[in-house]
Amino acid sequence: MLEIKNLHVKLEEEDKAILKGVNLTVEAGKVHAIMGPNGSGKSTLSYVMSGRDGYEVTDGTAALGGEDILDMDPEERAAAGLFLAFQYPVEIPGVGNMTFLRTALNAQRKARGEDEMSAADFLKLVRAKAKDLKIDADMLKRPVNVGFSGGEKKRNEILQMAMLEPKMCILDETDSGLDVDAMKLVSDGVNALRDEGRSFLVITHYQRLLDHIKPDVVHIMADGRIVKSGGPDLALEVENNGYADILAEVA
Amino acid sequence: MGALKQVSQAKTNATEERLARLTLPQGAGWATEAREGALARLRAMGLPGRRDEYWRYTRPDTLVQPSAPEAALFHNDEGPLFDTIDRVKLVFVDGVFDPDLSDDPALGGVEIERLSDASQADIHWSKDLYGVLETDGQSHVDRPFAAMNTAFAGDGIVIRATGKAEKPVNLVYLHKSVSSDAILHHVVRVESGAELTMLETGPAAARFNKCMEVDVAAGGTFHHIRAQGRDHERRAVTHIFARLAEKSVFKSFTMTANGVLTRNEAVIDITGDDAVAHIAGAALGDGDFLHDDTVFITHDAVGCESRQVFKKVLRNGAVGVFQGKILVKQGAQKTDGYQISQSLLLDDDSQFLAKPELEIYADDVACSHGSTSGAIDEEGLFYLRSRGIPEGPATDLMVLAFLAEAIEEIDDQEIAADITDRLESWLARRRG
Ligand SMILES: Nc1ncnc2c1ncn2[C@@H]1O[C@H](COP(=O)(O)OP(=O)(O)O)[C@@H](O)[C@H]1O
Ligand SMILES: [Mg+2]
């Protein structure tokens, strides 16, 4: 599904290399997790995948379903099935959450040559999905993420994911700032979307989230590279011993 | 007008050159006195010049020059605004009332007359207002174009709401001559407890000077929604003078898309306790465009609320101006005054000039004002695009979001939806 080869990325504004040769393949239907110390480049990887400005790819490739995505605009990547649940979801005053969701959904359908969804069908769908995530009517009406608590923002990300039904979901620290109940809601939301044709890349600091969203493969990222990959046990190892041992081992 | 001051020779000359093209309407009945008084006022202050402080950001030259600069007609394929709203249309062509194009002015709860007819009546309610609110509005700053309007207005209507108006009154201003120079003066009186919604649509003329005096009696409600017409080369200087009695409500919203020069002045005197005055504007400019909102709100009563919300979207060198003042007089306690003026600059060539002012002589008041100027929020834009919304529509969404606070000042949802529609299509056209 997602194939990243030898990806090197530096900041556009300064000569600072952040990703230094990332290799990663997420197969269809699989859940991969990336763990790693702060500043190791996890968010950068997710931003570069989704097409955010400010980064320069100096080497390597990234393909989604066999198609090179690095030259695509962010909206093209989204229409191709990529979705990033942001570590810090953005507040957009003045744009209603519902309008936003509907515009996004129909823009993607249009880009894929599909018919727009009718207002009635959309409403039915969004209500059902919102209910599962305990998102009330008020949250749907309010401007995107404005005045939402940390947990509400993260649930709103999952709602968008559920509505847009992407093929490749990248979740950047979706667990940060969540209490136990919210964590359960969010994980249930993600698990409900698990499907043979859908892949996940779950970025997290903690094993906690991976108790709920069971990964197939766990990667450790450090200083802009994937330094170790393994099964779910690797996450437990990190939880118990921290990163020091692993980093020492690969150094 | 303050202390009598010497008008410079240059200014007098410019004023007289302009006046040479105008004649006081003959047989104006009781209005003759008001018109002659206004002419004297105008001569005493002179038409504005470049050095006038109140015209610091907006060059008045083309509004002052003897004849109107030509303005190409704009062929609009959109159909009339508010067309699905049941309303009484009063149509003016290049500043002249056209009864044939207009609806029957009979409307429950409202009396509508042409100014020239009203001024023939021996006794008429509008006599106490015509040029009177305008004169009051000259007390802090000179507004020579308004005096000129009172003196020379070629047409206009007087409207009195005695109850709840059955439907909105829509003044439709058609522009059909490339060199028309129109002066219109309307008088509105909303009686105690009455309600009236007035819509104004269209460019009106190549050069348009419009003055509207609005007197809202105790407990009356006046809603005003205006769309100034998309003709690129048109020029307009407009004044609203409003006087608000106890517990009255005045709400005015203006949408301006295009127009090479627009100066909208609003002078609102809150004279009765617990009154509410809101004035808002959404302006969209692309290229050769200057839009100036100049507002002066006086609180002279207890427990009143005023709100100014002005938003401007500027691109390709368009210029936005805002001069807004809240004056809270001694004794106007519990005043709640809010003023925000913001511009969204879509490139580095466009600019926004703002002069917000507060002058407060009461101690128990809550007044706030703010003015900002900025670009589209890149983070927000990326967020929208990452969800699949292409850059163009995503930018439009951000622009509409920026304008939302102004549009929210329109109470009627149907009217607000029509306005939003027009804003959306204006934005969409810029993307081709
Ligand atoms: N826009 C940026 N400007 C400056 N430094 C940045 C920027 N983006 C990322 N970095 C730096 O790149 C490194 C990796 O950051 P990030 O990808 O956020 O790491 P992680 O998500 O693993 O904590 C850090 O040293 C961070 O400071
Ligand atoms: Mg991060």
Side-chain angles (χ1 to χ4, degrees), chain A residues 24 33-37 40 42 204 217-231 234-239 242-243 246-247 250:
Chain A
L24 177 68
I34 297 186
M35 303 180 79
S40 55
K42 304 182 298 294
T204 181
V217 183
V218 175
H219 307 276
I220 307 297
M221 188 163 194
D223 192 25
R225 284 185 200 92
I226 305 275
V227 294
K228 187 169 185 182
S229 302
L234 189 51
L236 281 174
E237 198 184 319
V238 168
E239 184 75 3
Y243 293 110
I246 297 170
L247 297 186
V250 299

Side-chain angles (χ1 to χ4, degrees), chain B residues 34-35 38 41 92 95 113-116 126 129-135 145-159 171 173 182-188 200 208-214 239 241:
Chain B
R35 288 174 182 276
R41 272 201 302 289
F92 295 81
E113 284 166 274
R114 204 167 168 178
L115 173 63
S116 51
S126 62
L129 295 173
Y130 187 85
V132 173
L133 300 190
E134 176 256 301
T135 307
F145 287 114
M148 182 174 115
N149 185 301
T150 298
F152 297 103
D155 216 328
I157 54 151
V158 302
I159 304 183
L171 306 181
Y173 303 131
I183 306 179
L184 286 181
H185 194 119
H186 310 306
V187 182
V188 179
E200 288 186 287
F208 187 34
N209 177 336
K210 195 208 62 184
C211 179
M212 183 157 79
E213 293 169 294
V214 183
H239 290 83
F241 295 97

Side-chain angles (χ1 to χ4, degrees), chain B residues 137 140 143 214 240-244 250-252 265-271 275-280 294-300 305-308 310 325-327:
Chain B
H140 300 283
R143 305 179 195 278
V214 183
I240 295 176
F241 295 97
R243 181 168 67 189
L244 307 190
F250 171 95
K251 289 191 179 183
S252 173
E265 294 193 22
V267 185
I268 301 170
D269 278 339
I270 308 179
T271 60
V276 172
H278 290 196
I279 179 148
T294 291
V295 180
F296 198 117
I297 297 184
T298 304
H299 282 265
D300 195 9
E305 174 196 311
S306 74
R307 232 179 118 77
Q308 300 171 52
F310 287 92
K325 178 159 181 171
I326 306 174
L327 168 64

Side-chain angles (χ1 to χ4, degrees), chain A residues 11 14 16 18 37-45 55 87 173:
Chain A
L11 292 177
E14 44 183 304
K16 182 178 173 184
I18 302 188
N38 261 331
S40 55
K42 304 182 298 294
S43 290
T44 302
L45 179 65
Y55 304 100
Q87 181 172 3
E173 299 211 18

